[in-house]
Amino acid sequence: MVKSYMPQPSNTAAETATLTEKNAPPRELPKAYDPAAIEDRWAQYWVRERLFDVATPAPGSGAAPAFTVLLPPPNVTGNLHMGHMFEHTETDILVRWRRMLGQPTVWVPGTDHAGITTQMLVERQLTGEGSSRQQLGREAFVKRVWQWREHYGGAILSSMKRIGDTVDWSREYFTMDENLSHAVREAFVRLYEQGLIYRGAYIVNWCPRCQTAISDLEVAHEEQQGKLWEIRYTVIDSPGEFVTVATTRPETMLGDTAVAVHPHDERYKHLHGKRLRLPLIGRDIPVVLDEWVKMDFGTGAVKVTPAHDPNDFAIGQRHHLPAISVMDETAHMNAEAGPYQGLDRYEARKRILHDLEAQGLLAATRDHVNAIGKCARCNTVVEPRLSTQWFVAVNKPAREGGPTMASLAIAAVTVDAHGHKPLRFTPENNEKIYLDWMTNIYDWCISRQLWWGHRIPAWHCAACQQITVARQDPTACAHCGSKDITQETDVLDTWFSSGLLPVTVFGWPPADGKPTPDLTAFYPTSLLVTGFDILFFWVARMIMLGCWFMQDVPMPDGTPRPIDEIVPFREVYIHALVRDADRQKMSKTKGNVIDPVEIVNRYGTDAVRFTLASMASPGTDIAFNEARTEGYRAFANKIWNAARFIFMNVDRAREAGIEIDPTALGEPPTAADDAPLEMRWIAARTNSVAAEINAALGEYRFHEAANLVYQFFWGDFCDWYLEISKLRLDFSDAADKSTTKAALTLLLQTFESALRLLSPFMPFLTEELWHVLYNGNPPAKSIALTRYPQGSAHSDDPAESAFALLQELIVSVRALRKDLGVEEKAAVPVRIKPLAPRLPFAQNLEIIQRLARVSAIETLDSLPDGMPVRATPQFDVQVVYEKKVDTIAERERLTKELARYEKEQANASRQLSNESFLGKAPAAVVEGLRRRAAELEMLLDKTRKALEDLK
RNA sequence: AGGCGCGUAGCUCAGUUGGUUAGAGCGCUACCUUGACACGGUAGAGGUCAGGAGUUCGAGUCUCCUCGUGCCUACCA
């Protein structure tokens, strides 16, 4: 039967029982590990017990500096996908690791209101009900979205709990929470007061389906095969003469207010100052000269439509041209389009081309590849549209000579006088990408024509047309006092509020001008783990806004805040993308999305986490492949069974009257100088692998850390140490109890350390086994609250090299046995010719006997001819067995080996006879090669002789 | 059009500043139902590191070119 070993919340040290206590429950674990049987239980326990909530340290409490991470807030509309799971796995590993290093560790979760996406979803729902946003009206619609959010907004948070994210749930936020909304409004008002927010008519990317402006970043460009049409515009006062312009969007010609040519273009010099007749509409428009025009593209003459193209808008500004919009907000032609009014833009294009052709004004139609912009949310082709929007001036200082938002954001990643960067990117090349963008940044359009979001706190006055921006809703115009004011209908870009999160989640704006306790304790955050796709959207905005507002918040002691204290985070780790097994980007439309929850249900969370971690080499995309997850499920099962073996022996020990002090279990594994070799070895090995894992995690080398713990647990611990332990776990009356007890104690300590090393990667399995190991009376409420083994950086423990020799002998004997066809169960004698002093064989006879099935070892000065030999630099070994060797196979093997040695030896001797090598290479390299060359000489002799013997 | 990245075993991927014999998992072959584990054990096979040139005593690693491939940025009508 399966017992549950849930710890009692009321555990105290006094209640800690010994492992061998008579009434302790038997450790009966099922033979195969079943993640489903334990994962939900622990997931709930971690949340219910609030194990990872962190209170704000009292100011001046002297607490260790906090490790703080802000979770990139998933959209309320979202479900957990593989990308999230990957991001969360990496973050959770780091967060668990840091916590186990003893730092107060806070990982702040929350969700984003996701303006456009959420509004779209709810509108779709309304459509299904035969209703619409317009029918409901703004207030009722917003209420409806809130209801929707109450219902569905928590899906992703539940999944986070299920996969074991150790976030601080007490700090969970939603970007439209009252306090955060208040902070957003404060930020807007301050920027407005500083003259950094302005309103104006500009060309923006307009989504005709969402019917809102969207930012440049929200436009996805797509190359497509299109056409380039050449259209003739007649020259006024010059009968029969044309100017031919080239365009990809003929429907916009209805809004043309000029034709531009390059001032130096000889072909058009005679047209300078002339006027043209716009076809179809008949408007009289000028020829203007502008250096922006590329002479070698198209015909060198460009139609200028200031209301429908950003470049044309700029030309229009330079030449004071009128801007005529010919489309409405749904991309249908409006009254300015004359006969084409009411037509959809593509229908209008068809009709216009048809009419032009009929009039002989269509000069040519050419194939042309161009990039069209599509709305990143709904895939509708974006229409550049002239409209009045709100902008943040990112290149303007608040005061003469002061920094700009962009300049601060650049300074944030620039080396200061002390050679120190306030903010670092990993992988490093992202810094360059970020800097390029920040250096060429345009003003940020922050208004959206949506209903769901933070409404812009500005009021328009009907009387004086002025704008009132205020912290409190005004009742009258601040300029003329008129009561006839109405609030701006636009809301803010979602990224405006999420860009403020690093300050707002910690209580900005401070009421008294001093940093809040949370800001003091947790700002700047330590690390941001996020994807490349939101580097500009979010990371850059957080840096701009965070730096901008925090420069005005003094340090706790009242001194001005230095640059490395105003940045929102000290490090940004940009993770890779998870692709499908064929390296394709996962997308709903392709139908290749892998649902992590489904995979988790089949393999267990730990196996999926381990898969992701083991492939998470910085900067390299992951092709998620289930075969690996299968492998890591096997790994979990292996550990489970190692635990079963260990617990079985604890039970046997108890029956034999051997008691292990549970307080000793958490000690780092150590072995006395006179302890058996494998004990000294595993203690040293645990120590060195711990150091290696810590080093790897410190450099975000997740794959390396994961592989180290995998090799250690499976290879070192299970394959070697556990097998040898079977010799030591002798509970018979004849055995020396203290020896057995020492062996069992070290086994338990090593296992306990290994569980802790593994726990950030496989939190569920390790939590379960750790509690069982402590028999339900663990020293902490969770393995996640214990200390991570540190190890020591360099350890040249002689036990490690001695054990390596022992392993080499055992492997050689096993291989010889196979060559000779010895039955698995048969024990055979071996002969050894030692070639080095102090070989660790005589003292470890029983290990060799057991692991290589050897009956006796004979040490000789020379080995008899006629039998196969395995030769190493330290020893030669022979297995004594009469059965005939497979001569052909053996010859083949030796021939290959000989070729390999010969090649290597040729290389080595060439190098060693090279004067410049001897002169320039480091001494250690030369010395190493000399030693190897001597070894090769010997190995070659032996191999040749062995081949001779076969004949 | 610019910029970045990748190409290593049948498959999926490691390989930190150039340094002796290029690694792992899966798959494959052979043997083993040994009292933790067949989601296992043991031993194997498998690579001219895409191709070419260069720098160097020494190149999977640095430089250039070619081929293949992926991504990002961009206001060429």
Side-chain angles (χ1 to χ4, degrees):
Chain A
M1 68 162 274
V2 184
K3 289 252 175 182
S4 154
Y5 295 96
M6 285 302 291
Q8 302 305 305
S10 60
N11 275 351
T12 64
E15 290 170 0
T16 303
T18 64
L19 279 178
T20 51
E21 195 178 72
K22 278 277 183 286
N23 58 359
R27 297 172 169 76
E28 288 172 27
L29 303 180
K31 193 167 163 182
Y33 173 51
D34 176 17
I38 68 156
E39 288 190 352
D40 272 331
R41 177 157 49 84
W42 289 116
Q44 286 166 26
Y45 171 79
W46 293 330
V47 176
R48 187 178 66 238
E49 296 289 320
R50 302 204 154 274
L51 295 186
F52 308 112
D53 294 3
V54 174
T56 307
S61 64
F67 185 77
T68 316
V69 179
L70 182 65
L71 173 82
N75 290 350
V76 274
T77 54
N79 281 98
L80 190 86
H81 59 67
M82 223 14 134
H84 290 123
M85 177 134 186
F86 180 48
E87 180 174 284
H88 292 210
T89 296
E90 290 187 323
T91 313
D92 195 49
I93 287 170
L94 292 174
V95 162
R96 283 175 181 268
W97 175 56
R98 289 286 180 167
R99 187 183 291 116
M100 289 177 78
L101 292 182
Q103 277 187 278
T105 299
V106 182
W107 184 13
V108 183
T111 43
D112 192 293
H113 66 279
I116 296 183
T117 313
T118 314
Q119 175 157 336
M120 247 174 68
L121 271 175
V122 177
E123 281 190 65
R124 201 175 292 161
Q125 212 177 45
L126 288 174
T127 309
E129 296 165 12
S131 176
S132 74
R133 160 166 77 105
Q134 287 76 10
Q135 266 180 48
L136 280 185
R138 183 164 190 150
E139 206 176 316
F141 177 76
V142 169
K143 205 179 242 173
R144 172 75 189 244
V145 183
W146 274 103
Q147 281 168 3
W148 185 93
R149 182 246 166 193
E150 292 305 322
H151 249 89
Y152 305 104
I156 207 156
L157 299 177
S158 315
S159 298
M160 283 170 58
K161 290 171 184 166
R162 176 66 186 78
I163 62 172
D165 288 350
T166 54
V167 297
D168 180 344
W169 289 109
S170 72
R171 296 177 186 272
E172 182 193 334
Y173 64 85
F174 176 54
T175 48
M176 299 243 302
D177 282 345
E178 207 180 318
N179 56 336
L180 295 196
S181 299
H182 169 76
V184 166
R185 181 160 179 174
E186 174 67 26
F188 184 94
V189 174
R190 276 198 204 182
L191 290 175
Y192 187 81
E193 288 171 349
Q194 291 171 327
L196 299 183
I197 283 184
Y198 63 92
R199 187 169 182 257
Y202 291 87
I203 293 279
V204 293
N205 298 297
W206 183 269
C207 174
R209 202 223 58 88
C210 303
Q211 294 185 32
T212 178
I214 55 179
S215 75
D216 290 346
L217 291 172
E218 287 164 313
V219 178
H221 293 275
E222 223 172 83
E223 292 241 309
Q224 68 162 36
Q225 186 58 248
K227 297 266 193 252
L228 186 64
W229 289 279
E230 295 184 6
I231 304 170
R232 296 190 178 113
Y233 288 18
T234 48
V235 181
I236 295 178
D237 303 331
S238 178
E241 194 182 355
F242 301 104
V243 174
T244 307
V245 301
T247 181
T248 53
R249 304 183 56 222
E251 65 278 13
T252 64
M253 68 172 288
L254 305 176
D256 285 3
T257 53
V259 165
V261 296
H262 195 280
H264 303 325
D265 194 333
E266 295 297 333
R267 292 172 295 177
Y268 298 116
K269 282 235 154 128
H270 64 289
L271 290 175
H272 295 186
K274 291 277 169 87
R275 300 189 74 84
L276 308 171
R277 180 74 60 205
L278 182 62
L280 306 179
I281 294 285
R283 189 158 49 237
D284 178 343
I285 59 174
V287 172
V288 298
L289 309 180
D290 200 286
E291 301 204 339
W292 174 81
V293 178
K294 311 249 181 321
M295 288 187 271
D296 54 359
F297 187 89
T299 60
V302 189
K303 59 191 272 313
V304 180
T305 322
H308 289 282
D309 183 281
N311 296 310
D312 294 7
F313 182 77
I315 295 176
Q317 297 266 298
R318 286 197 283 274
H319 300 275
H320 309 289
L321 300 170
I324 301 172
S325 290
V326 295
M327 286 180 215
D328 64 15
E329 62 278 8
T330 63
H332 285 72
M333 310 312 286
N334 66 15
E336 293 286 351
Y340 304 98
Q341 181 177 3
L343 295 178
D344 168 79
R345 51 185 164 168
Y346 297 115
E347 184 58 28
R349 177 181 297 178
K350 253 190 245 165
R351 295 272 284 272
I352 286 167
L353 287 169
H354 176 265
D355 293 350
L356 286 171
E357 186 150 36
Q359 297 179 27
L361 295 175
L362 188 60
T365 303
R366 304 178 195 282
D367 282 336
H368 178 70
V369 177
N370 63 336
I372 55 158
K374 291 186 167 179
C375 173
R377 300 283 160 205
C378 70
N379 221 30
T380 305
V381 174
V382 164
E383 194 63 40
R385 182 163 194 264
L386 184 63
S387 63
T388 303
Q389 303 288 347
W390 295 82
F391 295 85
V392 174
V394 293
N395 289 313
K396 186 180 165 196
R399 52 169 204 284
E400 190 71 23
T404 66
M405 255 187 230
S407 74
L408 266 187
I410 287 168
V413 298
T414 309
V415 182
D416 67 12
H418 312 289
H420 169 82
K421 278 182 199 171
L423 196 163
R424 289 175 182 283
F425 282 93
T426 304
E428 248 172 325
N429 61 323
N430 289 290
E431 181 188 301
K432 189 181 168 304
I433 298 170
Y434 165 84
L435 269 175
D436 282 352
W437 188 79
M438 197 56 84
T439 317
N440 300 308
I441 191 170
Y442 294 92
D443 284 354
W444 174 14
C445 173
I446 51 167
S447 47
R448 295 291 182 276
Q449 290 64 53
L450 302 172
W451 286 353
W452 175 241
H454 300 97
R455 194 159 170 182
I456 290 178
W459 280 259
H460 302 281
C461 176
C464 71
Q465 315 301 322
Q466 300 258 60
I467 290 171
T468 303
V469 167
R471 288 178 174 81
Q472 250 66 53
D473 289 7
T475 52
C477 173
H479 305 279
C480 71
S482 162
K483 303 255 189 223
D484 193 4
I485 56 171
T486 47
Q487 189 175 0
E488 169 66 54
T489 52
D490 290 357
V491 299
L492 287 166
D493 179 9
T494 302
W495 299 104
F496 186 85
S497 57
S498 50
L500 287 163
L501 284 171
V503 298
T504 53
V505 295
F506 298 124
W508 184 92
D512 53 4
K514 295 188 204 134
T516 63
D518 271 355
L519 280 173
T520 299
F522 303 126
Y523 195 94
T525 62
S526 315
L527 172 69
L528 177 75
V529 179
T530 191
F532 179 81
D533 52 334
I534 52 174
L535 181 61
F536 306 135
F537 273 123
W538 192 49
V539 181
R541 266 75 178 267
M542 280 192 288
I543 297 174
M544 287 195 287
L545 293 172
C547 289
W548 189 258
F549 289 112
M550 285 307 283
Q551 63 177 337
D552 297 328
V553 178
M555 297 299 287
D557 62 6
T559 56
R561 193 165 277 264
I563 180 107
D564 57 334
E565 294 292 328
I566 72 172
V567 294
F569 21 77
R570 302 196 188 281
E571 300 203 25
V572 179
Y573 177 74
I574 302 287
H575 65 241
L577 214 64
V578 184
R579 301 166 174 281
D580 73 1
D582 302 319
R583 311 209 112 268
Q584 296 294 305
K585 217 170 179 171
M586 292 188 201
S587 77
K588 274 184 195 158
T589 44
K590 275 189 216 155
N592 63 342
V593 176
I594 303 172
D595 177 10
V597 176
E598 191 253 342
I599 303 273
V600 158
N601 287 338
R602 279 197 286 134
Y603 297 100
T605 306
D606 288 335
V608 182
R609 284 175 63 120
F610 209 89
T611 306
L612 294 167
S614 74
M615 302 189 73
S617 170
T620 311
D621 284 353
I622 289 183
F624 190 88
N625 134 332
E626 243 179 82
R628 277 185 85 132
T629 312
E630 258 173 64
Y632 294 122
R633 179 181 58 184
F635 178 48
N637 188 60
K638 183 77 180 176
I639 292 160
W640 181 261
N641 277 289
R644 291 179 65 221
F645 170 79
I646 290 166
F647 298 149
M648 180 186 88
N649 280 288
V650 171
D651 289 343
R652 287 168 68 198
R654 181 180 53 197
E655 280 160 28
I658 295 172
E659 295 193 1
I660 308 292
D661 176 9
T663 60
L665 295 189
E667 299 292 316
T670 46
D673 287 347
D674 60 349
L677 177 59
E678 86 281 358
M679 287 175 69
R680 286 178 284 127
W681 164 72
I682 197 67
R685 183 70 198 121
T686 308
N687 193 49
S688 59
V689 81
E692 289 166 22
I693 292 168
N694 278 282
L697 287 175
E699 293 172 39
Y700 306 105
R701 304 174 66 81
F702 300 95
H703 67 297
E704 198 176 295
N707 288 331
L708 281 165
V709 74
Y710 179 94
Q711 296 298 343
F712 171 69
F713 222 136
W714 199 321
D716 295 331
F717 185 79
C718 291
D719 289 348
W720 288 95
Y721 178 55
L722 224 53
E723 288 306 320
I724 299 171
S725 290
K726 290 175 182 172
L727 284 170
R728 315 292 182 209
L729 298 173
D730 184 351
F731 301 102
S732 63
D733 291 340
D736 177 58
K737 285 225 160 81
S738 67
T739 308
T740 307
K741 183 177 173 178
L744 182 60
T745 303
L746 181 66
L747 177 58
L748 292 169
Q749 285 173 338
T750 307
F751 184 61
E752 210 268 2
S753 280
L755 285 178
R756 276 184 283 142
L757 283 170
L758 180 62
S759 70
F761 304 89
M762 293 191 151
F764 291 95
L765 172 68
T766 52
E767 184 81 296
E768 174 78 8
L769 294 178
W770 186 78
H771 284 276
V772 181
L773 178 63
Y774 281 100
N775 219 354
N777 287 299
K781 281 189 158 189
S782 164
I783 191 171
L785 301 177
T786 63
R787 291 290 91 90
Y788 205 67
Q790 288 295 283
S792 56
H794 47 84
S795 96
D796 298 332
D797 199 298
E800 293 209 47
S801 48
F803 194 79
L805 276 175
L806 186 63
Q807 287 176 306
E808 202 173 357
L809 175 72
I810 290 167
V811 169
S812 299
V813 173
R814 285 168 174 170
L816 273 174
R817 292 174 54 108
K818 303 268 182 190
D819 290 348
L820 291 165
V822 181
E823 293 87 358
E824 288 286 327
K825 283 179 184 166
V828 288
V830 300
R831 301 191 186 112
I832 293 174
K833 175 186 171 188
L835 299 165
R838 294 193 306 278
L839 290 175
F841 300 154
Q843 317 89 290
N844 293 292
L845 265 184
E846 43 183 349
I847 294 178
I848 299 166
Q849 285 171 349
R850 181 174 177 106
L851 296 201
R853 296 216 174 244
V854 165
S855 58
I857 297 182
E858 192 182 358
T859 305
L860 299 171
D861 288 337
S862 72
L863 300 180
D865 293 347
M867 297 200 69
V869 175
R870 284 281 161 145
T872 77
Q874 277 79 23
F875 60 85
D876 293 353
V877 62
Q878 244 177 8
V879 164
V880 184
Y881 191 68
E882 69 280 10
K883 194 162 176 182
K884 267 299 229 186
V885 131
D886 180 347
T887 324
I888 295 171
E890 183 67 3
R891 181 175 298 125
E892 197 183 327
R893 188 183 70 79
L894 286 169
T895 309
K896 253 186 212 165
E897 199 171 85
L898 188 65
R900 205 170 59 228
Y901 288 149
E902 276 170 344
K903 190 177 155 204
E904 199 191 333
Q905 197 228 18
N907 251 319
S909 56
R910 184 170 47 76
Q911 290 245 71
L912 285 171
S913 58
N914 183 329
E915 284 302 325
S916 4
F917 172 70
L918 299 174
K920 291 180 183 174
V925 171
V926 177
E927 177 51 29
L929 193 59
R930 280 225 172 85
R931 218 176 314 128
R932 180 62 185 166
E935 276 176 17
L936 282 168
E937 208 60 51
M938 197 171 74
L939 291 168
L940 274 167
D941 278 355
K942 290 181 194 169
T943 313
R944 288 197 186 106
K945 183 163 172 303
L947 265 171
E948 273 310 298
D949 288 350
L950 276 180
K951 283 172 186 163

